[in-house]
């Protein structure tokens, strides 16, 4: 897939056994993956500390599956 500048980014989430793999286009290096357990206000997004690995054309992070709901988003990182 080709990522068009300005187009929305999509996360691909798959579960296998006791792990969840989250991936997104590698061309979106300026984004941070965040997670929250609830979408009720106020939403407390937390950055995923794990550094993504590049697998083909995608950034990928594998996390242990955990009980309950988890919601993920990509947020554009602030410049240093």
């Amino acid at each position: 897939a080709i990522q068009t500048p300005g187009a929305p980014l999509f996360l691909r989430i798959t579960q296998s056994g006791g792990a969840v793999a989250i991936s997104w286009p590698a061309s979106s290096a300026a984004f941070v993956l965040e997670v929250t357990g609830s979408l009720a206000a106020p939403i407390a997004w937390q950055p995923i500390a794990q550094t993504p690995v590049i697998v083909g054309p995608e950034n990928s992070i594998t996390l242990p599956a955990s009980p309950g709901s988890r919601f993920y988003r990509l947020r554009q990182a602030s410049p240093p």
Side-chain angles (χ1 to χ4, degrees), residues 25-56:
S27 60
S28 350
F31 287 81
V32 175
L33 181 64
E34 295 183 327
V35 63
T36 188
S38 172
L39 295 178
I43 301 173
W45 292 102
Q46 299 296 317
I48 299 286
Q50 186 175 341
T51 301
V53 294
I54 296 176
V55 179

Side-chain angles (χ1 to χ4, degrees), residues 50-72:
Q50 186 175 341
T51 301
V53 294
I54 296 176
V55 179
E58 297 182 317
N59 286 318
S60 183
I61 290 181
T62 301
L63 303 169
S66 56
S69 298
R70 298 287 179 272
F71 302 92
Y72 298 93

Side-chain angles (χ1 to χ4, degrees), residues 1-13 22-34 52 57-59 72-77:
I2 296 173
Q3 182 67 34
T4 304
L9 296 174
F10 293 97
L11 293 173
R12 184 167 51 96
I13 302 173
I22 304 168
S23 56
W24 62 96
S27 60
S28 350
F31 287 81
V32 175
L33 181 64
E34 295 183 327
E58 297 182 317
N59 286 318
Y72 298 93
R73 75 173 184 179
L74 288 174
R75 179 184 55 79
Q76 191 160 13

